[in-house]
Amino acid sequence: MQHRREVDESRLPSFFLKKHTLMKLKNLLFVFCLALLAGCQKDPDTESAPARDTDRVEGVIRMKLDRETAEALNVTRTRSGRVLTGNISFDELCKRYEVTGMERLFADNGCAERTRKAGLDLWYVIRFKGSAEQVAEDFGEIAGVNHVEIPRKITKVGDVGRRSGTPWRKLMALPKAVPANYPFNDPLFAEQWPLYNDGSVSEEAVAGADINVIPAWKKTAGRSDVIVAVLDEGVESPPPDLAANMWSGIGKNFCSGYNEDITWGQGHGTHVAGTIAAVNNNDVGISGMAGGTGSGDGVKIMTCQIFHPTDGRYDASSNATADAIKYAADNGAVICQNSWGYAAGSMSLDQWINQDRAVKEAIDYFIQYAGMSPDGQTQTGPMAGGVVIFAAGNENSGQPGYPAAYEPCISVAAVSCTYEAAWYTNYGPTVDICAPGGGDAADFSRPIHYNEGYNLSTLPTDLQNGMTFVYTNFRGEVETHTIDYVSETLGYGYMQGTSMACPHVSGVAALIVSQFGAPGFTNEQLKEKLFSTARDIDSYQGPIYNGRGTYAGKIGKLVDAGAALDSGEVPPVSDQPTITPATGQNDTFTLGASERKTLQYTLAGYTEWRLDDPSGKIAKSIDGNVVTLTIDASQYAAGSYTAELLAMNGTKTAKRTIAYTVSKGDNPTGISMDFYPNPCTDVLNILPNYSGESTIRIRNSMGTEVMNITLGLINEEPVKLDVSGLASGTYLVQVTYNGIQITRTIVKR
């Protein structure tokens, strides 16, 4: 489903991190002063900040290899600590740059087959001494290295703080009545206006400016087999409001070497998790959107810690975010909640893909394989495929910020308790939907204070107002963050930001899966229900406070839980199978005798498929519902061939006929040969299908010729080449006969 348009600001080459918070505004006059100063600055919708080298993580790069090169690697470590790979070129650079570690970026987590299909097993992380830029350049020049990138620092889209210094009332000082139709006994529900807004939260609040969750709860309040991965700070699970709804495996700390216990720092991740899945009907605290009915039926939170509480406001590198996304998919999560990213306007789509391709591929993997079997072919979870949801960001910018702006993701803007865009929210064509984020609307004249419009949720029980966190930020500056958002009831507190809007959409997504999840239910069906039932609130949108138009049409529609769960049954899956070839692909073609052709077909509405191939030489594989066929003409004698691809569903069948000819033009005799074993050790066998004098040349990965011999080959009689004297690595073998060349890549171990 194409739900939004990408904006590629290719003229913006710079790259910098999204700030964790906006400056706290001490009084209304100060707010107006800042607004006035902003009017004298460059327009943030057209200008970008200069790139900072500090965004890079020094001492580490990641690279993606081609299949042959990756499978030939044999990474070992000597007693002295030197890293060896068996590849001459890699080993030379490992020595030059004192490489201390080289390992795969992504663990297979018991899903090796689909990991390989997605190509995530080809990613490696290299740790070294020296300049990351120079190391990346040198490794990128090695044959077999397809892509190299320097990991970047990622920031939370955090709480943006108070707009004024006016004291806020204590949480329990002015208790509010619970609505008559509220089905649970959680005492703080009346403080959760994003779930139920009767207009009493502040003088400016508008009744109904909420996500309409109570009608949804009449159908379901959650389902325990629905898992939501929260990529954030760690989530504190001991509080009664969260413990029962934590995933059985809890999760993993992806920071600092991956071997530490989960920690929670300033409470950002715990606040997000509580919004989604605080336990309902337990006579304690708040209500979670998909927290169940108190009978063990709430959705489960998987905590994936990517931020370290004492190491600045970012993870060690984007390596952690990529690995965490894949981990979540491999361990059963179908919804991926993310309140982090890069600053709006800091890069174009192409720049992001070039700098963060590993993260992009992890997102694509989650969308395709979440809820699927380890081989990626069968639905095993409540939904086939996953959804990845991101906070849009807090810079009040109309430029795209990634990964949120990546089209397959869902980007969430924030609104206040007045239906209006929140003063800090990002906006624009790459925003998909909006949800309550807390705080004032864009109209500065109407400040709203903490529990008069901020979002209440769970916090770590040991957090108290006045606590300070001192750390060094990504610019090398020492910062102090003082906690001032905890209620008098420890374990709860107020925050605002698109970070707080995002989990409301994740919570509604969890309710949709809880209601409709079943064999055949897909992530695209979830998105259709989410977007088609959201409410149009453009009539409430005022001007963007910096004078660049209005928010109307720029923050998406308001998510509506009740309408989404009342949207009818899931449309039945068609029983007529289809086979769709790749765009521009022709099923009839001619190949030169040494050529190779790859065909791709998308299958739909099928229960089984097969390839009828009389030649027995077509290589076939399936990734999700995409079948790939590879025809290597060097394996054929000259002539014409046909094959049939079939998709079946009961008695109904779809069929594609593939007709191809192997030409005699560049190979008059139709010669071919086998090279085995590959990888080899001491002996390489060459088995020809012809007889005649042939020249055999072998070159290493640097292009240097290491063997050149002429032999009389005999049809179907193998020739044994002694390669014991060659170093381990990848080699190019070229056999020339009567002007015809056959080339293969082999691996020597």
Side-chain angles (χ1 to χ4, degrees), residues 2-43:
Q2 186 76 19
H3 57 272
R4 59 183 154 95
R5 176 175 60 88
E6 283 286 359
V7 175
D8 183 4
E9 302 286 351
S10 59
R11 68 184 188 280
L12 303 172
S14 61
F15 178 93
F16 67 103
L17 290 176
K18 184 172 295 186
K19 295 180 180 178
H20 170 64
T21 62
L22 301 179
M23 182 181 295
K24 293 186 176 182
L25 309 180
K26 298 300 183 179
N27 51 60
L28 196 57
L29 178 61
F30 189 40
V31 171
F32 279 113
C33 290
L34 287 180
L36 180 61
L37 289 172
C40 300
Q41 305 302 312
K42 294 181 178 180
D43 186 343

mmCIF file of all heavy atoms in Angstrom, residues 2-43:
data_model
loop_
_atom_site.group_PDB
_atom_site.id
_atom_site.type_symbol
_atom_site.label_atom_id
_atom_site.label_comp_id
_atom_site.label_asym_id
_atom_site.label_seq_id
_atom_site.Cartn_x
_atom_site.Cartn_y
_atom_site.Cartn_z
ATOM 1 N N GLN A 2 0.737 2.077 -0.961
ATOM 2 C CA GLN A 2 1.478 3.335 -1.032
ATOM 3 C C GLN A 2 0.699 4.389 -0.275
ATOM 4 O O GLN A 2 -0.279 4.937 -0.759
ATOM 5 C CB GLN A 2 1.660 3.763 -2.502
ATOM 6 C CG GLN A 2 2.540 4.980 -2.686
ATOM 7 C CD GLN A 2 4.010 4.666 -2.510
ATOM 8 O OE1 GLN A 2 4.417 3.519 -2.591
ATOM 9 N NE2 GLN A 2 4.817 5.690 -2.280
ATOM 10 N N HIS A 3 1.151 4.708 0.910
ATOM 11 C CA HIS A 3 0.370 5.597 1.745
ATOM 12 C C HIS A 3 0.948 7.000 1.841
ATOM 13 O O HIS A 3 0.324 7.861 2.447
ATOM 14 C CB HIS A 3 0.179 5.009 3.148
ATOM 15 C CG HIS A 3 1.436 4.684 3.863
ATOM 16 N ND1 HIS A 3 2.063 3.465 3.741
ATOM 17 C CD2 HIS A 3 2.171 5.409 4.708
ATOM 18 C CE1 HIS A 3 3.144 3.454 4.516
ATOM 19 N NE2 HIS A 3 3.235 4.622 5.097
ATOM 20 N N ARG A 4 2.146 7.242 1.263
ATOM 21 C CA ARG A 4 2.688 8.574 1.297
ATOM 22 C C ARG A 4 3.769 8.723 0.251
ATOM 23 O O ARG A 4 4.237 7.772 -0.340
ATOM 24 C CB ARG A 4 3.234 8.921 2.682
ATOM 25 C CG ARG A 4 4.349 7.992 3.191
ATOM 26 C CD ARG A 4 4.708 8.447 4.573
ATOM 27 N NE ARG A 4 5.263 7.413 5.388
ATOM 28 C CZ ARG A 4 6.534 7.169 5.570
ATOM 29 N NH1 ARG A 4 7.398 7.916 4.949
ATOM 30 N NH2 ARG A 4 6.954 6.217 6.357
ATOM 31 N N ARG A 5 4.162 9.941 0.047
ATOM 32 C CA ARG A 5 5.156 10.288 -0.961
ATOM 33 C C ARG A 5 6.485 10.594 -0.301
ATOM 34 O O ARG A 5 6.576 11.317 0.672
ATOM 35 C CB ARG A 5 4.678 11.510 -1.756
ATOM 36 C CG ARG A 5 5.664 12.039 -2.766
ATOM 37 C CD ARG A 5 5.041 13.153 -3.573
ATOM 38 N NE ARG A 5 4.634 14.272 -2.745
ATOM 39 C CZ ARG A 5 5.451 15.285 -2.429
ATOM 40 N NH1 ARG A 5 6.697 15.301 -2.870
ATOM 41 N NH2 ARG A 5 5.010 16.281 -1.666
ATOM 42 N N GLU A 6 7.560 10.023 -0.837
ATOM 43 C CA GLU A 6 8.901 10.317 -0.360
ATOM 44 C C GLU A 6 9.355 11.700 -0.834
ATOM 45 O O GLU A 6 9.018 12.150 -1.930
ATOM 46 C CB GLU A 6 9.906 9.274 -0.869
ATOM 47 C CG GLU A 6 9.839 7.951 -0.121
ATOM 48 C CD GLU A 6 10.441 8.038 1.270
ATOM 49 O OE1 GLU A 6 10.933 9.121 1.641
ATOM 50 O OE2 GLU A 6 10.399 7.027 1.970
ATOM 51 N N VAL A 7 10.112 12.360 -0.014
ATOM 52 C CA VAL A 7 10.744 13.613 -0.379
ATOM 53 C C VAL A 7 12.247 13.406 -0.390
ATOM 54 O O VAL A 7 12.836 13.051 0.626
ATOM 55 C CB VAL A 7 10.380 14.748 0.612
ATOM 56 C CG1 VAL A 7 11.149 15.998 0.276
ATOM 57 C CG2 VAL A 7 8.880 15.011 0.584
ATOM 58 N N ASP A 8 12.876 13.569 -1.510
ATOM 59 C CA ASP A 8 14.312 13.404 -1.634
ATOM 60 C C ASP A 8 14.977 14.757 -1.752
ATOM 61 O O ASP A 8 15.059 15.356 -2.811
ATOM 62 C CB ASP A 8 14.643 12.550 -2.854
ATOM 63 C CG ASP A 8 16.136 12.292 -2.974
ATOM 64 O OD1 ASP A 8 16.887 12.707 -2.071
ATOM 65 O OD2 ASP A 8 16.537 11.671 -3.967
ATOM 66 N N GLU A 9 15.460 15.282 -0.649
ATOM 67 C CA GLU A 9 16.153 16.562 -0.650
ATOM 68 C C GLU A 9 17.626 16.315 -0.932
ATOM 69 O O GLU A 9 18.495 16.470 -0.080
ATOM 70 C CB GLU A 9 15.952 17.265 0.707
ATOM 71 C CG GLU A 9 14.490 17.506 1.084
ATOM 72 C CD GLU A 9 13.887 18.629 0.258
ATOM 73 O OE1 GLU A 9 14.644 19.307 -0.460
ATOM 74 O OE2 GLU A 9 12.666 18.834 0.321
ATOM 75 N N SER A 10 17.928 15.909 -2.153
ATOM 76 C CA SER A 10 19.288 15.523 -2.497
ATOM 77 C C SER A 10 20.290 16.668 -2.395
ATOM 78 O O SER A 10 21.489 16.441 -2.339
ATOM 79 C CB SER A 10 19.324 14.931 -3.904
ATOM 80 O OG SER A 10 18.851 15.872 -4.846
ATOM 81 N N ARG A 11 19.753 17.885 -2.378
ATOM 82 C CA ARG A 11 20.648 19.042 -2.256
ATOM 83 C C ARG A 11 21.156 19.214 -0.841
ATOM 84 O O ARG A 11 21.943 20.132 -0.569
ATOM 85 C CB ARG A 11 19.919 20.307 -2.682
ATOM 86 C CG ARG A 11 18.795 20.703 -1.711
ATOM 87 C CD ARG A 11 18.020 21.909 -2.216
ATOM 88 N NE ARG A 11 17.074 22.415 -1.245
ATOM 89 C CZ ARG A 11 15.898 21.918 -1.014
ATOM 90 N NH1 ARG A 11 15.516 20.863 -1.716
ATOM 91 N NH2 ARG A 11 15.073 22.441 -0.137
ATOM 92 N N LEU A 12 20.727 18.380 0.078
ATOM 93 C CA LEU A 12 21.121 18.519 1.469
ATOM 94 C C LEU A 12 22.122 17.441 1.823
ATOM 95 O O LEU A 12 21.781 16.368 2.256
ATOM 96 C CB LEU A 12 19.890 18.421 2.396
ATOM 97 C CG LEU A 12 18.777 19.423 2.121
ATOM 98 C CD1 LEU A 12 17.568 19.093 2.974
ATOM 99 C CD2 LEU A 12 19.263 20.836 2.389
ATOM 100 N N PRO A 13 23.384 17.701 1.646
ATOM 101 C CA PRO A 13 24.383 16.664 1.869
ATOM 102 C C PRO A 13 24.770 16.467 3.316
ATOM 103 O O PRO A 13 25.444 15.510 3.651
ATOM 104 C CB PRO A 13 25.569 17.163 1.051
ATOM 105 C CG PRO A 13 25.444 18.666 1.156
ATOM 106 C CD PRO A 13 23.957 18.956 1.145
ATOM 107 N N SER A 14 24.401 17.364 4.164
ATOM 108 C CA SER A 14 24.883 17.311 5.533
ATOM 109 C C SER A 14 24.171 16.251 6.336
ATOM 110 O O SER A 14 23.110 15.765 5.996
ATOM 111 C CB SER A 14 24.719 18.676 6.196
ATOM 112 O OG SER A 14 23.372 19.047 6.221
ATOM 113 N N PHE A 15 24.771 15.885 7.490
ATOM 114 C CA PHE A 15 24.309 14.789 8.307
ATOM 115 C C PHE A 15 24.578 15.139 9.753
ATOM 116 O O PHE A 15 25.695 15.414 10.133
ATOM 117 C CB PHE A 15 25.067 13.525 7.912
ATOM 118 C CG PHE A 15 24.741 12.307 8.709
ATOM 119 C CD1 PHE A 15 23.787 11.441 8.273
ATOM 120 C CD2 PHE A 15 25.401 12.031 9.878
ATOM 121 C CE1 PHE A 15 23.490 10.315 8.988
ATOM 122 C CE2 PHE A 15 25.116 10.901 10.593
ATOM 123 C CZ PHE A 15 24.161 10.035 10.150
ATOM 124 N N PHE A 16 23.538 15.163 10.572
ATOM 125 C CA PHE A 16 23.758 15.423 11.966
ATOM 126 C C PHE A 16 22.670 14.768 12.783
ATOM 127 O O PHE A 16 21.659 14.325 12.263
ATOM 128 C CB PHE A 16 23.863 16.908 12.297
ATOM 129 C CG PHE A 16 22.568 17.687 12.091
ATOM 130 C CD1 PHE A 16 21.801 18.044 13.126
ATOM 131 C CD2 PHE A 16 22.169 18.053 10.850
ATOM 132 C CE1 PHE A 16 20.624 18.760 12.927
ATOM 133 C CE2 PHE A 16 20.988 18.762 10.663
ATOM 134 C CZ PHE A 16 20.227 19.119 11.695
ATOM 135 N N LEU A 17 22.863 14.697 14.071
ATOM 136 C CA LEU A 17 21.964 13.959 14.929
ATOM 137 C C LEU A 17 20.802 14.779 15.413
ATOM 138 O O LEU A 17 20.907 15.974 15.638
ATOM 139 C CB LEU A 17 22.715 13.436 16.168
ATOM 140 C CG LEU A 17 23.709 12.329 15.901
ATOM 141 C CD1 LEU A 17 24.438 11.988 17.169
ATOM 142 C CD2 LEU A 17 22.962 11.135 15.387
ATOM 143 N N LYS A 18 19.699 14.092 15.585
ATOM 144 C CA LYS A 18 18.521 14.704 16.181
ATOM 145 C C LYS A 18 18.774 14.970 17.651
ATOM 146 O O LYS A 18 19.263 14.127 18.376
ATOM 147 C CB LYS A 18 17.328 13.757 16.004
ATOM 148 C CG LYS A 18 16.028 14.300 16.499
ATOM 149 C CD LYS A 18 14.891 13.370 16.095
ATOM 150 C CE LYS A 18 14.731 13.339 14.605
ATOM 151 N NZ LYS A 18 13.595 12.601 14.146
ATOM 152 N N LYS A 19 18.527 16.169 18.109
ATOM 153 C CA LYS A 19 18.733 16.502 19.502
ATOM 154 C C LYS A 19 17.785 15.716 20.384
ATOM 155 O O LYS A 19 16.638 15.492 20.049
ATOM 156 C CB LYS A 19 18.535 17.990 19.741
ATOM 157 C CG LYS A 19 19.553 18.863 19.043
ATOM 158 C CD LYS A 19 19.291 20.325 19.341
ATOM 159 C CE LYS A 19 20.321 21.200 18.643
ATOM 160 N NZ LYS A 19 20.065 22.630 18.872
ATOM 161 N N HIS A 20 18.265 15.338 21.559
ATOM 162 C CA HIS A 20 17.442 14.575 22.481
ATOM 163 C C HIS A 20 16.288 15.378 23.029
ATOM 164 O O HIS A 20 15.184 14.899 23.184
ATOM 165 C CB HIS A 20 18.309 14.053 23.623
ATOM 166 C CG HIS A 20 17.542 13.461 24.751
ATOM 167 N ND1 HIS A 20 16.790 12.346 24.607
ATOM 168 C CD2 HIS A 20 17.418 13.853 26.040
ATOM 169 C CE1 HIS A 20 16.244 12.050 25.778
ATOM 170 N NE2 HIS A 20 16.602 12.953 26.653
ATOM 171 N N THR A 21 16.499 16.625 23.341
ATOM 172 C CA THR A 21 15.448 17.484 23.895
ATOM 173 C C THR A 21 15.557 18.864 23.296
ATOM 174 O O THR A 21 16.591 19.276 22.812
ATOM 175 C CB THR A 21 15.544 17.624 25.425
ATOM 176 O OG1 THR A 21 16.772 18.232 25.754
ATOM 177 C CG2 THR A 21 15.444 16.271 26.095
ATOM 178 N N LEU A 22 14.456 19.591 23.346
ATOM 179 C CA LEU A 22 14.495 21.012 23.061
ATOM 180 C C LEU A 22 14.784 21.738 24.357
ATOM 181 O O LEU A 22 14.526 21.243 25.460
ATOM 182 C CB LEU A 22 13.167 21.473 22.455
ATOM 183 C CG LEU A 22 12.749 20.779 21.159
ATOM 184 C CD1 LEU A 22 11.405 21.313 20.684
ATOM 185 C CD2 LEU A 22 13.801 20.994 20.102
ATOM 186 N N MET A 23 15.298 22.938 24.246
ATOM 187 C CA MET A 23 15.613 23.725 25.443
ATOM 188 C C MET A 23 14.369 23.947 26.272
ATOM 189 O O MET A 23 13.306 24.277 25.759
ATOM 190 C CB MET A 23 16.216 25.055 25.038
ATOM 191 C CG MET A 23 16.612 25.932 26.216
ATOM 192 S SD MET A 23 17.293 27.511 25.682
ATOM 193 C CE MET A 23 18.774 26.937 24.878
ATOM 194 N N LYS A 24 14.459 23.750 27.573
ATOM 195 C CA LYS A 24 13.337 24.015 28.454
ATOM 196 C C LYS A 24 13.091 25.515 28.513
ATOM 197 O O LYS A 24 14.000 26.309 28.745
ATOM 198 C CB LYS A 24 13.597 23.449 29.843
ATOM 199 C CG LYS A 24 13.637 21.926 29.859
ATOM 200 C CD LYS A 24 13.762 21.386 31.268
ATOM 201 C CE LYS A 24 13.712 19.885 31.257
ATOM 202 N NZ LYS A 24 13.779 19.301 32.610
ATOM 203 N N LEU A 25 11.843 25.868 28.329
ATOM 204 C CA LEU A 25 11.473 27.273 28.305
ATOM 205 C C LEU A 25 10.938 27.668 29.678
ATOM 206 O O LEU A 25 9.949 27.139 30.143
ATOM 207 C CB LEU A 25 10.428 27.512 27.225
ATOM 208 C CG LEU A 25 10.812 26.937 25.850
ATOM 209 C CD1 LEU A 25 9.730 27.204 24.835
ATOM 210 C CD2 LEU A 25 12.114 27.593 25.407
ATOM 211 N N LYS A 26 11.592 28.618 30.317
ATOM 212 C CA LYS A 26 11.281 28.942 31.697
ATOM 213 C C LYS A 26 10.057 29.800 31.875
ATOM 214 O O LYS A 26 9.436 29.772 32.892
ATOM 215 C CB LYS A 26 12.491 29.622 32.354
ATOM 216 C CG LYS A 26 13.727 28.743 32.408
ATOM 217 C CD LYS A 26 13.468 27.483 33.203
ATOM 218 C CE LYS A 26 14.730 26.641 33.329
ATOM 219 N NZ LYS A 26 14.478 25.419 34.114
ATOM 220 N N ASN A 27 9.696 30.605 30.884
ATOM 221 C CA ASN A 27 8.500 31.406 30.994
ATOM 222 C C ASN A 27 7.996 31.761 29.615
ATOM 223 O O ASN A 27 8.692 31.574 28.609
ATOM 224 C CB ASN A 27 8.728 32.675 31.818
ATOM 225 C CG ASN A 27 9.938 33.473 31.336
ATOM 226 O OD1 ASN A 27 9.963 33.901 30.184
ATOM 227 N ND2 ASN A 27 10.916 33.649 32.212
ATOM 228 N N LEU A 28 6.785 32.282 29.563
ATOM 229 C CA LEU A 28 6.150 32.554 28.291
ATOM 230 C C LEU A 28 6.880 33.636 27.509
ATOM 231 O O LEU A 28 6.963 33.581 26.276
ATOM 232 C CB LEU A 28 4.690 32.952 28.504
ATOM 233 C CG LEU A 28 3.774 32.910 27.302
ATOM 234 C CD1 LEU A 28 3.780 31.524 26.690
ATOM 235 C CD2 LEU A 28 2.345 33.296 27.724
ATOM 236 N N LEU A 29 7.408 34.641 28.210
ATOM 237 C CA LEU A 29 8.153 35.688 27.532
ATOM 238 C C LEU A 29 9.357 35.119 26.816
ATOM 239 O O LEU A 29 9.663 35.508 25.686
ATOM 240 C CB LEU A 29 8.588 36.754 28.549
ATOM 241 C CG LEU A 29 9.448 37.916 27.990
ATOM 242 C CD1 LEU A 29 8.649 38.691 26.924
ATOM 243 C CD2 LEU A 29 9.849 38.868 29.137
ATOM 244 N N PHE A 30 10.051 34.188 27.459
ATOM 245 C CA PHE A 30 11.202 33.549 26.857
ATOM 246 C C PHE A 30 10.804 32.786 25.600
ATOM 247 O O PHE A 30 11.530 32.768 24.604
ATOM 248 C CB PHE A 30 11.875 32.615 27.854
ATOM 249 C CG PHE A 30 13.190 32.057 27.403
ATOM 250 C CD1 PHE A 30 14.109 32.835 26.723
ATOM 251 C CD2 PHE A 30 13.523 30.741 27.687
ATOM 252 C CE1 PHE A 30 15.318 32.302 26.329
ATOM 253 C CE2 PHE A 30 14.721 30.215 27.275
ATOM 254 C CZ PHE A 30 15.628 30.986 26.608
ATOM 255 N N VAL A 31 9.624 32.155 25.647
ATOM 256 C CA VAL A 31 9.128 31.455 24.485
ATOM 257 C C VAL A 31 8.976 32.398 23.307
ATOM 258 O O VAL A 31 9.403 32.114 22.184
ATOM 259 C CB VAL A 31 7.792 30.762 24.798
ATOM 260 C CG1 VAL A 31 7.161 30.205 23.520
ATOM 261 C CG2 VAL A 31 7.983 29.658 25.813
ATOM 262 N N PHE A 32 8.346 33.557 23.560
ATOM 263 C CA PHE A 32 8.145 34.518 22.487
ATOM 264 C C PHE A 32 9.463 35.058 21.964
ATOM 265 O O PHE A 32 9.615 35.309 20.773
ATOM 266 C CB PHE A 32 7.247 35.663 22.963
ATOM 267 C CG PHE A 32 5.786 35.320 22.934
ATOM 268 C CD1 PHE A 32 5.048 35.213 24.095
ATOM 269 C CD2 PHE A 32 5.155 35.086 21.718
ATOM 270 C CE1 PHE A 32 3.716 34.888 24.055
ATOM 271 C CE2 PHE A 32 3.810 34.756 21.681
ATOM 272 C CZ PHE A 32 3.078 34.654 22.844
ATOM 273 N N CYS A 33 10.435 35.232 22.849
ATOM 274 C CA CYS A 33 11.746 35.696 22.419
ATOM 275 C C CYS A 33 12.403 34.687 21.492
ATOM 276 O O CYS A 33 12.966 35.046 20.460
ATOM 277 C CB CYS A 33 12.651 35.969 23.623
ATOM 278 S SG CYS A 33 12.171 37.419 24.599
ATOM 279 N N LEU A 34 12.305 33.436 21.846
ATOM 280 C CA LEU A 34 12.863 32.404 20.987
ATOM 281 C C LEU A 34 12.161 32.360 19.645
ATOM 282 O O LEU A 34 12.792 32.206 18.595
ATOM 283 C CB LEU A 34 12.773 31.034 21.668
ATOM 284 C CG LEU A 34 13.730 30.772 22.820
ATOM 285 C CD1 LEU A 34 13.502 29.388 23.376
ATOM 286 C CD2 LEU A 34 15.180 30.931 22.382
ATOM 287 N N ALA A 35 10.831 32.508 19.671
ATOM 288 C CA ALA A 35 10.079 32.513 18.428
ATOM 289 C C ALA A 35 10.503 33.680 17.543
ATOM 290 O O ALA A 35 10.625 33.550 16.324
ATOM 291 C CB ALA A 35 8.579 32.583 18.723
ATOM 292 N N LEU A 36 10.702 34.849 18.176
ATOM 293 C CA LEU A 36 11.131 36.018 17.422
ATOM 294 C C LEU A 36 12.498 35.799 16.807
ATOM 295 O O LEU A 36 12.738 36.125 15.641
ATOM 296 C CB LEU A 36 11.151 37.235 18.342
ATOM 297 C CG LEU A 36 11.585 38.571 17.700
ATOM 298 C CD1 LEU A 36 10.605 38.938 16.583
ATOM 299 C CD2 LEU A 36 11.613 39.675 18.766
ATOM 300 N N LEU A 37 13.421 35.218 17.587
ATOM 301 C CA LEU A 37 14.752 34.932 17.067
ATOM 302 C C LEU A 37 14.696 33.929 15.928
ATOM 303 O O LEU A 37 15.422 34.051 14.938
ATOM 304 C CB LEU A 37 15.661 34.413 18.183
ATOM 305 C CG LEU A 37 16.101 35.422 19.231
ATOM 306 C CD1 LEU A 37 16.828 34.715 20.373
ATOM 307 C CD2 LEU A 37 16.986 36.495 18.609
ATOM 308 N N ALA A 38 13.816 32.949 16.046
ATOM 309 C CA ALA A 38 13.685 31.944 14.997
ATOM 310 C C ALA A 38 13.284 32.573 13.685
ATOM 311 O O ALA A 38 13.676 32.112 12.609
ATOM 312 C CB ALA A 38 12.683 30.872 15.405
ATOM 313 N N GLY A 39 12.481 33.661 13.765
ATOM 314 C CA GLY A 39 12.055 34.318 12.537
ATOM 315 C C GLY A 39 13.200 34.983 11.796
ATOM 316 O O GLY A 39 13.078 35.323 10.620
ATOM 317 N N CYS A 40 14.323 35.186 12.464
ATOM 318 C CA CYS A 40 15.488 35.803 11.840
ATOM 319 C C CYS A 40 16.468 34.774 11.306
ATOM 320 O O CYS A 40 17.465 35.135 10.684
ATOM 321 C CB CYS A 40 16.211 36.703 12.848
ATOM 322 S SG CYS A 40 15.184 38.047 13.510
ATOM 323 N N GLN A 41 16.206 33.475 11.549
ATOM 324 C CA GLN A 41 17.101 32.421 11.121
ATOM 325 C C GLN A 41 16.710 31.885 9.749
ATOM 326 O O GLN A 41 15.667 32.207 9.210
ATOM 327 C CB GLN A 41 17.089 31.275 12.152
ATOM 328 C CG GLN A 41 17.415 31.715 13.581
ATOM 329 C CD GLN A 41 18.760 32.371 13.686
ATOM 330 O OE1 GLN A 41 19.751 31.855 13.178
ATOM 331 N NE2 GLN A 41 18.816 33.536 14.318
ATOM 332 N N LYS A 42 17.587 31.050 9.186
ATOM 333 C CA LYS A 42 17.293 30.379 7.940
ATOM 334 C C LYS A 42 16.083 29.477 8.098
ATOM 335 O O LYS A 42 15.851 28.909 9.150
ATOM 336 C CB LYS A 42 18.504 29.559 7.486
ATOM 337 C CG LYS A 42 19.717 30.399 7.130
ATOM 338 C CD LYS A 42 20.857 29.526 6.683
ATOM 339 C CE LYS A 42 22.071 30.365 6.280
ATOM 340 N NZ LYS A 42 23.205 29.511 5.832
ATOM 341 N N ASP A 43 15.295 29.372 7.052
ATOM 342 C CA ASP A 43 14.092 28.565 7.059
ATOM 343 C C ASP A 43 14.469 27.095 7.193
ATOM 344 O O ASP A 43 15.140 26.539 6.334
ATOM 345 C CB ASP A 43 13.324 28.782 5.750
ATOM 346 C CG ASP A 43 11.979 28.084 5.725
ATOM 347 O OD1 ASP A 43 11.768 27.193 6.556
ATOM 348 O OD2 ASP A 43 11.151 28.437 4.875
#
